[in-house]
């Protein structure tokens, strides 16, 4: 399995970013880490190994970028407006820098986005904000209401990075073309967030799969089961 390390200076964030990339061809998949996780977290916890067959067969090329959780939603030392503003810069980095990079390398016109736990938020928010760029969304144990991090503060940057708020009013045609899977489990601490998001999607007649696994917890073993299953739905 081919593995590459990349470090580049992001003009949108004015800081260096790091990323691991697995594979040399196939559908591009942006895979985000969990809360405050490093760019190598998904490798360390076996999520990459769980889909090694897809990578070795050239079906997918997986991009594991760093996040800036500690400088955005989890930075309690700055005002919530600054947390939201910084996250909007991160979203712009994904849109302007990473997605075009992945599309150019693979020759594919859309990307898949995926993540576990808070990585599921990153994936869902990008997919629902920019559905023209995303063919597949795979969230595993995600939570989708960012207001828990804003201490009651609310502005446009909060709104447009909070899927359960902006999605009901979105009429972007590409939402109805996306393959959406919301993975959760009976004992997942984020199960209710998935039920809520599923209701939002149902109200808009957006097709999706709410995958509730029996007996699973909010942890890596169930996510390692989910991820290869979800990748198998990429056409």
């Amino acid at each position: 399995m081919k593995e590459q390390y990349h470090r580049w200076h992001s003009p949108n964030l004015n800081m260096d970013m790091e990323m691991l990339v697995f594979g040399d061809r196939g559908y591009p998949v942006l895979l985000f880490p969990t809360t405050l996780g490093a760019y190598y977290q998904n490798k360390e916890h076996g999520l990459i190994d769980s889909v090694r067959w897809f990578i070795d067969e050239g079906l997918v090329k997986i991009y594991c970028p760093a996040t800036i959780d500690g400088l955005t939603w989890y930075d309690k030392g700055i005002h919530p407006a600054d947390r939201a503003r910084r996250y909007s810069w991160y979203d712009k980095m994904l849109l302007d820098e990473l997605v075009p990079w992945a599309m150019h390398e693979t020759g594919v016109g859309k990307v898949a986005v995926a993540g576990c736990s808070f990585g599921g938020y990153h994936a869902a928010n990008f997919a629902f904000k920019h559905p023209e760029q995303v063919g597949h969304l795979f969230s595993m144990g995600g939570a989708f209401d960012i207001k828990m991090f804003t201490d009651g503060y609310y502005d446009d940057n909060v709104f447009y990075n909070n899927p359960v708020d902006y999605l009901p009013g979105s009429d972007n045609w590409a939402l109805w073309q996306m393959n959406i899977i919301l993975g959760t489990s009976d004992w997942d601490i984020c199960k209710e967030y998935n039920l809520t998001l599923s209701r939002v999607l149902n109200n808009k007649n957006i097709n999706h799969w709410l995958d509730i696994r029996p007996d699973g917890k909010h942890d890596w073993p169930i996510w390692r089961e989910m991820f290869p299953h979800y990748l198998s739905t990429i056409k």
Side-chain angles (χ1 to χ4, degrees):
M1 179 172 59
K2 183 178 181 181
E3 175 181 334
Q4 292 179 299
Y5 167 79
H6 294 282
R7 183 185 181 99
W8 77 99
H9 184 78
S10 167
N12 284 293
L13 294 170
N14 194 27
M15 61 183 289
D16 286 352
M17 294 296 292
E18 294 177 284
M19 176 172 67
L20 286 181
V21 180
F22 299 91
D24 57 9
R25 64 193 189 281
Y27 203 101
V29 181
L30 275 57
L31 178 61
F32 299 95
T34 67
T35 302
L36 299 169
Y39 64 94
Y40 48 79
Q41 184 200 53
N42 284 304
K43 176 187 176 182
E44 285 193 340
H45 285 272
L47 201 64
I48 296 299
D49 273 342
S50 76
V51 296
R52 176 184 288 267
W53 181 84
F54 295 89
I55 298 169
D56 288 343
E57 292 296 313
L59 300 175
V60 297
K61 185 170 184 176
I62 299 184
Y63 297 77
C64 296
T67 60
I68 56 170
D69 293 346
L71 300 174
T72 57
W73 305 121
Y74 282 85
D75 188 349
K76 297 298 184 180
I78 61 175
H79 192 275
D82 295 319
R83 298 173 209 165
R85 183 181 304 110
R86 288 179 179 179
Y87 192 79
S88 292
W89 297 341
Y90 180 75
D91 177 76
K92 198 167 189 308
M93 180 278 294
L94 296 174
L95 182 65
D96 293 350
E97 300 173 37
L98 185 50
V99 167
W101 180 349
M103 288 180 177
H104 175 74
E105 284 193 338
T106 60
V108 178
K110 289 192 175 186
V111 299
V113 289
C116 306
S117 193
F118 204 58
Y121 160 75
H122 294 304
N125 186 59
F126 187 84
F128 294 138
K129 284 183 73 173
H130 312 289
E132 302 99 329
Q133 312 295 322
V134 179
H136 304 267
L137 163 61
F138 308 131
S139 171
M140 296 159 277
F144 313 105
D145 193 341
I146 210 65
K147 291 192 294 294
M148 70 180 88
F149 296 99
T150 62
D151 306 328
Y153 177 80
Y154 201 80
D155 64 10
D156 281 353
N157 281 326
V158 175
F159 176 83
Y160 285 111
N161 287 293
N162 199 44
V164 294
D165 284 352
Y166 66 75
L167 186 56
S170 177
D171 59 358
N172 191 309
W173 62 269
L175 290 168
W176 284 265
Q177 306 298 317
M178 196 186 307
N179 174 33
I180 301 170
I181 303 179
L182 307 178
T184 185
S185 52
D186 283 341
W187 306 110
D188 183 3
I189 58 174
C190 292
K191 180 181 177 181
E192 286 301 318
Y193 292 107
N194 286 269
L195 295 176
T196 297
L197 181 56
S198 179
R199 285 192 291 269
V200 172
L201 294 169
N202 282 329
N203 287 340
K204 297 181 70 66
N205 293 314
I206 295 176
N207 189 44
H208 66 286
W209 175 24
L210 176 62
D211 179 24
I212 304 177
R213 305 263 169 138
D215 303 324
K217 297 180 180 179
H218 188 81
D219 205 355
W220 293 97
I222 192 69
W223 302 334
R224 288 192 292 264
E225 290 181 12
M226 290 173 170
F227 196 36
H229 189 181
Y230 298 167
L231 286 191
S232 72
T233 67
I234 293 179
K235 304 299 184 185

